[in-house]
Amino acid sequence: MAASHTSSSSTHHQILQSKYDVFLSFRGEDTRNNFTDNLHTALIRNGFIAFKDDETLDRGNEISSELSKAIEESNVSIVILSKNYASSPWCLDELAKIVECGNKRKDRKVFAVFYGVDPADVRKQKGEDFERVFAKYEEEFKENHEKVLKWRAALTTVASLAGWHLQDRRSQTPNGFLLLYILNFL
């Protein structure tokens, strides 16, 4: 069963019953070995239980069901939207689940980080990276158009949230304001 976790810092809020404080959603090839790793390390260093797929998944478990469960068992999701995020149906399914869980539980918070992408391009699925991949999905998922609509809606929802726009994709560390805001929320 999910356990309660409270940070030792008095500036942090009490976390409700959950297995994870934070779920990190990201496209591995874009941010795993830089920004996401550094954010994950900062969260752990500050006493938070953070789910990051390459460190938290039990070997041999079906990834999709374990990811879905981890999303459900997290209080906060941080979605790191990057150049290739939408090129992964896996990331888009994850994002749709995050939005679904956020709609069910109003105390659940979602933070968006726009890592080298324009929030308007994400919101409207425009620009080179998003428009091209969604044109491909429209063709590839003709028989399951609802899936594509769900992905589009999830991107629009998350990109409409206030978030952090990191224009320089070479930025390898989360900026201090982003970390302070997240840590104070938790």
Side-chain angles (χ1 to χ4, degrees), residues 124-150:
K124 297 174 185 172
Q125 294 90 60
K126 296 290 181 195
E128 179 184 329
D129 303 316
F130 293 90
E131 196 164 6
R132 177 184 41 80
V133 77
F134 271 93
K136 181 183 103 175
Y137 290 151
E138 295 290 345
E139 186 63 34
E140 187 177 329
F141 293 98
K142 274 183 184 177
E143 303 302 317
N144 192 1
H145 190 64
E146 284 299 311
K147 184 182 222 32
V148 177
L149 292 177
K150 191 174 186 178

Side-chain angles (χ1 to χ4, degrees), residues 81-98:
L81 297 154
S82 58
K83 177 180 173 147
N84 294 302
Y85 188 92
S87 69
S88 167
W90 197 276
C91 286
L92 294 172
D93 283 341
E94 198 175 275
L95 183 65
K97 180 67 175 182
I98 289 167

Side-chain angles (χ1 to χ4, degrees), residues 49-165:
I49 301 168
F51 184 97
K52 182 174 163 249
D53 72 357
D54 61 350
E55 290 185 16
T56 315
L57 288 178
D58 291 333
R59 300 295 172 224
N61 286 350
E62 184 181 81
I63 293 174
S64 61
S65 65
E66 190 166 343
L67 279 176
S68 183
K69 187 173 182 182
I71 292 166
E72 291 169 3
E73 294 178 341
S74 298
N75 282 309
V76 172
S77 290
I78 301 173
V79 181
I80 303 160
L81 297 154
S82 58
K83 177 180 173 147
N84 294 302
Y85 188 92
S87 69
S88 167
W90 197 276
C91 286
L92 294 172
D93 283 341
E94 198 175 275
L95 183 65
K97 180 67 175 182
I98 289 167
V99 169
E100 176 189 317
C101 288
N103 289 338
K104 287 181 184 173
R105 225 179 92 193
K106 296 303 178 194
D107 64 324
R108 192 173 193 302
K109 190 77 173 158
V110 178
F111 296 107
V113 176
F114 302 94
Y115 188 82
V117 295
D118 186 327
D121 288 348
V122 177
R123 190 172 30 261
K124 297 174 185 172
Q125 294 90 60
K126 296 290 181 195
E128 179 184 329
D129 303 316
F130 293 90
E131 196 164 6
R132 177 184 41 80
V133 77
F134 271 93
K136 181 183 103 175
Y137 290 151
E138 295 290 345
E139 186 63 34
E140 187 177 329
F141 293 98
K142 274 183 184 177
E143 303 302 317
N144 192 1
H145 190 64
E146 284 299 311
K147 184 182 222 32
V148 177
L149 292 177
K150 191 174 186 178
W151 291 343
R152 285 186 180 277
L155 279 169
T156 300
T157 297
V158 171
S160 297
L161 300 172
W164 290 269
H165 187 188

Side-chain angles (χ1 to χ4, degrees), residues 5-24:
H5 172 75
T6 307
S7 171
S8 58
S9 172
S10 61
T11 62
H12 297 172
H13 295 91
Q14 175 77 24
I15 298 297
L16 302 175
Q17 295 289 319
S18 288
K19 185 173 181 180
Y20 302 102
D21 298 319
V22 179
F23 180 92
L24 297 174

